[in-house]
Amino acid sequence: MGRFYITTPIYYANDAPHVGSAYTTVNADALARWHRLAGDEVKFLTGTDEHGQKMADAAAKNGFSPQEWTDQVSKRFQEAWTALNISNDDFIRTTEPRHYKTVQRFLSVIYENGFIYKDVYSGLYCVSCEDYYTLEASDEGTCPIHHSQLTNMEEENWFFRLSAFEDRLLDFYAQNPGFVTPETKRNEAYSFIKSGLKDISITRTSINWGVPVPWDPKHVFYVWYDALINYLTAIGYGQENDEVATWWPHSNHLIGKEILRFHGVWWPAMCMAAGLDPVHHVHVNGWLLVGGEKLGKTMAAEGAVRLSDIEPIGLTKEFGVDPLRYYLLRETALGNDGEFSHEGITARYNTDLANSLGNLVARVSAVVGSKCAGQGPPPQSDSTLRLSAMASVENAAEAWENFAPQRALEATWELISATNSYLELNAPWKMESGLEVDNVMGDALEAIRIVAILISPAMPSVSEEIWRRIGLSGSPATAPYSQSATWGLYPGGSKVEKGEPLFPRIKSDE
Ligand code: MSP
C-alpha cells in the first residue's frame, strides 16, 4: 500500500462550471477512487482559483465585490461536484487565509534565496488567459485561444528568475522520464525549456485583488503565481499542520493541455527555487470539443451550444450521474481531445450500459429467479470465465495505475462481454432447473460481482446497486481489490433481486 495525492487544476471562479471542467474532475475522482480501492492512502484535492483581473472584471460586471462574486461561483462548483458524486478530501479556495499564509511563506523563501528581483515589464496581455503573449505567439494581436483583442500592459513588477533554472530543468526532465505524461506532452514541455526561458513577471500593481507581496505590499502576486501554490497549501506548507513530507513525494497533478507550461516549466522551477522537490508527476488531458473547438462558456455566449446542454447538473438529470461519469471516462483516452455530444452520450449509454451491462444483470437475475428460486448459486472454481475475470482485473488495474480510465473500462467490459457470451453459449434459460443451471448462474454471478468491484471508481452508485441486487452485504469498494476481486468469493445462497432495468434505453433521435 502506498500513498496517492491527486489534484485537479483549481477552476477560475469567474463563471459557473461546465462539462469541460467536470471532465478533469471526474477523471481525477475515478483515479482517487481506484487508489482507495487498491488500499492506498489517498488525498484528493480540487478547488477554485479566485484572484486576478478576470475575476475582478466579472464581479464588477455583475455588480458584486470580488469576494461576494467568488463566494457565489465557488459554491456552484462545490454543488456541481456534489451532484457528480466527487469524493474530494479537500476543497481549496485561494481566498482562504491558509492559502495566503502558504503563498507568502513559499514566495518569501524564493525571495530570500535570491530568485526574485524588480524590473519594468511591457507586453500583450489576455485577461481570459491571465497571461502575456509575444506578438509572434499571438494571432496578429488577438489571443490564439480566446480570439479576443490583446491589451498592451506596462508595469513595474517583481520578476522570478526562471532563466536560472533552464539547465536544472533539462536535467530534471532527463532524470525523470515519467515526470510529464503522455510522452508527447513531455516532449512539448522539454522543447519549450530547450528553446530558452525568459524570466517571468510575478506581481501586479494595476489591481489589488490578489495575495499581497509580503516585502512590498503595494503589489499583489500575479494570479497564476499564487494559484500553483494551492497544491502546497492543502498539505500545510508553512502552516502548523505541515504534511508536505507525507504527501509531496506522492503528488500527481491532472491538468488540461493549455496549462502545461505553467505546471511543467514554471512550477517545477518555483519548487526548485524554494528548495523543494518538484511535484512527482503531471498527467496532461486533452479537451472536450464541440465542432472541433474547446468547449466552454464563450461557446454558449456565441450561440454555438446551448448553455443548458453543457451544464453538469443538468446533464446528470438528463442522463443520470453514473452514465455521465462513464461517458466522460470511457469515450476518450485521457490525454487526447474528444468530441462531446448528446448523441455520443446516448450511443454510449445504449450500447455499453443498457445493452451490455444492464442486460447482463437483468438476464442473470431473471434466470436465477425462474430456475434457482431466486437464490444465487456459488461459482465453479474451474469455470472458463475465471480466466477472463483474472485478465480483466489485471488489465484494468494496470490501466488505472497508468492514468488510463478508458482502457481500464475497456478491460472491464471484456469481462461483461465474456459473461454475456458464456450465457448465450450455455443458454441456461433453456435448461431444466438443477446443477447444470446452478453452475452457469453461479459463474455469471461471480463475474458480475467482480464487474461491480471494477466499475466502482467510475460508477460508484451503480456498482453499489448491483452489489445489493446480487444479495451481497458490505460495499464493492472495500479495499484492497487484490483480495476481493479474486475468483470464487460469491458466497452462494444469497437472495438475488429482480429489479427495474438499471439503464432503461434512451430513444435516440435517428
Ligand atoms: N485557474 C487555472 C488553473 C490553475 S491550476 C493552478 C485554469 N482554470 S480553468 O477553469 O480555465 O481550467 C481548469 C481546467 O479545466 C483546465 O485543466 C482545463 O483544461 C479544464 N477544461 C476547461 N475546459 C475544458 C474542456 N473543454 N475540455 C477539457 N478540459 C477543459 O486554467
Side-chain angles (χ1 to χ4, degrees):
M1 324 268 149
R3 288 202 177 95
F4 186 70
Y5 176 30
I6 178 133
T7 66
T8 71
I10 44 173
Y11 300 97
Y12 284 130
N14 61 318
D15 206 346
H18 53 75
V19 71
S21 9
Y23 178 67
T24 312
T25 312
V26 166
N27 273 282
D29 181 62
L31 290 163
R33 286 177 184 270
W34 170 262
H35 279 270
R36 290 193 198 106
L37 185 62
D40 289 342
E41 201 183 336
V42 170
K43 187 181 271 292
F44 169 22
L45 174 70
T46 187
T48 39
D49 189 351
E50 307 190 359
H51 291 126
Q53 192 175 340
K54 177 157 56 175
M55 216 67 54
D57 290 353
K61 201 171 124 215
N62 289 282
F64 291 98
S65 72
Q67 188 66 60
E68 284 166 344
W69 181 247
T70 59
D71 283 350
Q72 292 172 36
V73 179
S74 180
K75 192 156 159 268
R76 294 191 62 181
F77 274 88
Q78 297 182 49
E79 284 163 0
W81 301 160
T82 303
L84 277 165
N85 203 358
I86 301 301
S87 64
N88 52 303
D89 300 292
D90 193 355
F91 187 98
I92 185 161
R93 301 186 53 192
T94 54
T95 46
E96 288 175 67
R98 62 171 172 162
H99 184 60
Y100 276 54
K101 199 165 175 183
T102 294
V103 168
Q104 291 185 332
R105 179 76 207 118
F106 184 80
L107 291 166
S108 297
V109 174
I110 300 183
Y111 181 62
E112 283 152 21
N113 288 348
F115 294 112
I116 291 178
Y117 63 95
K118 208 170 200 178
D119 206 348
V120 173
Y121 194 86
S122 69
L124 295 169
Y125 196 74
C126 169
V127 176
S128 295
C129 295
E130 297 279 14
D131 197 11
Y132 282 101
Y133 283 91
T134 59
L135 192 55
E136 303 80 66
S138 78
D139 201 356
E140 294 176 352
T142 62
C143 169
I145 297 179
H146 297 94
H147 314 302
S148 48
Q149 193 62 44
L150 300 170
T151 44
N152 238 315
M153 293 251 276
E154 182 168 301
E155 289 184 285
E156 187 184 58
N157 285 333
W158 289 94
F159 280 72
F160 172 56
R161 223 177 270 287
L162 183 65
S163 58
F165 291 89
E166 211 171 290
D167 290 343
R168 278 181 67 181
L169 283 171
L170 291 174
D171 215 42
F172 177 79
Y173 267 77
Q175 304 288 325
N176 299 278
F179 173 56
V180 172
T181 55
E183 202 182 344
T184 48
K185 298 297 172 195
R186 180 245 171 229
N187 295 344
E188 198 180 305
Y190 188 81
S191 313
F192 182 81
I193 301 166
K194 208 139 194 198
S195 69
L197 297 179
K198 289 205 185 81
D199 292 349
I200 46 179
S201 139
I202 60 164
T203 65
R204 300 281 180 270
T205 46
S206 51
I207 55 167
N208 60 8
W209 181 237
V211 181
V213 174
W215 61 88
D216 188 358
K218 284 198 312 300
H219 291 250
V220 293
F221 286 111
Y222 164 45
V223 58
W224 259 106
Y225 219 69
D226 109 54
L228 287 162
I229 301 168
N230 89 86
Y231 305 125
L232 289 174
T233 304
I235 52 173
Y237 180 100
Q239 302 165 39
E240 267 163 36
N241 186 20
D242 184 333
E243 295 187 320
V244 174
T246 309
W247 291 107
W248 198 236
H250 311 283
S251 50
N252 297 269
H253 299 329
L254 183 62
I255 59 156
K257 63 179 184 179
E258 81 282 18
I259 53 178
L260 171 60
R261 190 161 40 97
F262 299 108
H263 287 83
V265 183
W266 289 23
W267 183 224
M270 285 162 66
C271 289
M272 287 170 179
L276 191 72
D277 282 340
V279 51
H280 169 66
H281 173 214
V282 177
H283 187 82
V284 184
N285 65 252
W287 289 338
L288 289 187
L289 309 172
V290 171
E293 286 273 324
K294 179 175 179 236
L295 179 159
K297 284 293 172 66
T298 25
M299 234 176 209
E302 287 159 3
V305 287
R306 277 185 319 187
L307 196 56
S308 58
D309 285 351
I310 59 167
E311 267 183 344
I313 296 185
L315 287 167
T316 64
K317 290 194 181 129
E318 192 171 347
F319 295 98
V321 176
D322 281 6
L324 177 62
R325 291 173 58 105
Y326 176 76
Y327 171 76
L328 295 175
L329 294 163
R330 172 63 184 81
E331 190 68 10
T332 308
L334 190 58
N336 297 347
D337 289 348
E339 271 293 310
F340 168 85
S341 70
H342 282 221
E343 293 73 33
I345 309 184
T346 305
R348 272 279 159 222
Y349 178 100
N350 282 339
T351 316
D352 298 4
L353 301 181
N355 288 359
S356 298
L357 177 57
N359 196 22
L360 173 64
V361 174
R363 75 210 299 202
V364 167
S365 50
V367 178
V368 172
S370 62
K371 308 272 174 179
C372 314
Q375 299 280 320
Q380 307 176 85
S381 56
D382 59 349
S383 167
T384 53
L385 270 185
R386 184 177 156 270
L387 287 181
S388 306
M390 293 303 94
S392 284
V393 172
E394 194 180 320
N395 295 337
E398 180 276 327
W400 284 116
E401 289 297 327
N402 288 297
F403 287 70
Q406 182 195 43
R407 275 202 295 114
L409 292 170
E410 268 168 6
T412 306
W413 256 253
E414 276 170 24
L415 177 56
I416 296 172
S417 308
T419 313
N420 272 324
S421 306
Y422 182 74
L423 289 172
E424 267 141 40
L425 188 75
N426 288 289
W429 41 85
K430 290 191 189 149
M431 296 173 178
E432 295 295 322
S433 292
L435 188 62
E436 214 186 344
V437 183
D438 286 356
N439 285 341
V440 174
M441 298 323 291
D443 291 350
L445 283 162
E446 173 61 347
I448 292 177
R449 188 188 68 85
I450 292 176
V451 165
I453 296 171
L454 293 182
I455 62 170
S456 68
M459 299 199 288
S461 305
V462 167
S463 152
E464 298 271 353
E465 173 63 10
I466 295 176
W467 195 257
R468 200 188 55 73
R469 282 192 189 192
I470 61 171
L472 298 172
S473 56
S475 162
T478 305
Y481 78 85
S482 55
Q483 281 172 27
S484 60
T486 55
W487 186 264
L489 299 183
Y490 184 71
S494 315
K495 184 159 171 28
V496 173
E497 183 184 309
K498 217 181 127 193
E500 296 292 308
L502 283 172
F503 305 103
R505 277 185 73 82
I506 302 176
K507 288 207 184 68
S508 53
D509 294 338
E510 298 103 66

